[in-house]
Amino acid sequence: MSLSFFSSLKSDTIKAIFLVCLAVGVVGASYGSLAMAYGFPLWLPLLLSVVVLAGASEFMFIGIIASGGNPLAAAVAGLLVNARHFPFGVTVRDLVGKGVVSLIGCHIMNDESVVFGLSQSTPEQRKAAFWLCGTGVALFWPVGTLLGAAVGKLLPAPETIGLDAVFPAILLALVLPALKKKTTLIRATSGAAISLAAVPFAPVGLPVLLSLLGLATRKK
């Protein structure tokens, strides 16, 4: 993919994409630091950052494992967090490319690349923005994770600088916009209540899965 592919993008768009990718790298540093502080080997968060490339899922995975949860439950919970990628895939099907290229395009599909891709005015700009942002995230996230891991080895505990609060804060930021809808708010609240009620009795990781029962709640 040559540089001319991105020539249709405005300089302001390119600058905005760079800043977003830089922010992703900073969050990646928090992820790497947290993983090291929790005692994970370096290869695990680094491998996840390249293969999974989904920040919220990775934070959830290491958080559940570090709390003594089952790896399978952690993996399922991570998949649920990224269930939004299914509608994403339908929305950006024209941007990911065809054939083998589409496999890469699907891999770099994330919140940031989808937003930038869909916000452009022409088909050429949409595709260019999607790929530039997706590629940037795919580079900045692992690099941030690696740098954060180096810092994490120096921390006695993740609570020292509040790293344990990073994951909940990220999830909250993702969820808040959706809570404007009353039905979504009711179901999310019900799921949260079920999850909290199950914490004293269920193994680590299972309360998150039980929160799905909140989807059965109907608006009266």
Side-chain angles (χ1 to χ4, degrees):
M1 189 175 294
S2 62
L3 292 177
S4 60
F5 176 77
F6 305 110
S7 61
S8 61
L9 294 176
K10 298 178 181 179
S11 59
D12 289 344
T13 301
I14 295 175
K15 183 185 296 184
I17 289 175
F18 172 75
L19 291 176
V20 166
C21 291
L22 185 61
V24 167
V26 172
V27 177
S30 298
Y31 165 64
S33 299
L34 187 61
M36 291 297 99
Y38 277 149
F40 287 96
L42 174 60
W43 65 266
L44 181 60
L46 191 57
L47 178 65
L48 291 176
S49 68
V50 174
V51 177
V52 178
L53 194 60
S57 290
E58 294 173 48
F59 269 109
M60 175 167 280
F61 182 82
I62 66 169
I64 291 177
I65 297 298
S67 300
N70 185 285
L72 180 59
V76 173
L79 288 173
L80 291 175
V81 169
N82 279 318
R84 66 189 185 282
H85 282 204
F86 285 104
F88 280 0
V90 175
T91 306
V92 300
R93 61 185 181 277
D94 296 328
L95 305 182
V96 298
K98 298 179 180 180
V100 178
V101 175
S102 66
L103 298 177
I104 302 175
C106 290
H107 184 61
I108 64 172
M109 180 181 65
N110 48 59
D111 299 281
E112 296 82 6
S113 62
V114 169
V115 169
F116 274 105
L118 297 180
S119 63
Q120 306 307 307
S121 56
T122 68
E124 293 78 13
Q125 291 176 334
R126 284 195 287 272
K127 195 167 186 177
F130 173 84
W131 278 88
L132 181 60
C133 185
T135 303
V137 169
L139 293 174
F140 275 77
W141 180 252
V143 170
T145 300
L146 186 60
L147 293 176
V151 175
K153 291 181 178 181
L154 305 177
L155 298 178
E159 296 83 2
T160 302
I161 58 175
L163 287 177
D164 55 320
V166 171
F167 167 64
I170 290 175
L171 279 189
L172 184 61
L174 291 173
V175 168
L176 281 178
L179 297 182
K180 294 178 180 179
K181 295 182 179 180
K182 187 175 181 180
T183 300
T184 303
L185 178 61
I186 292 173
R187 290 175 174 173
T189 303
S190 300
I194 293 172
S195 182
L196 287 174
V199 168
F201 313 103
V204 177
L206 185 57
V208 177
L209 302 182
L210 292 177
S211 67
L212 288 175
L213 295 174
L215 294 175
T217 308
R218 296 180 180 271
K219 182 176 69 173
K220 296 182 179 181

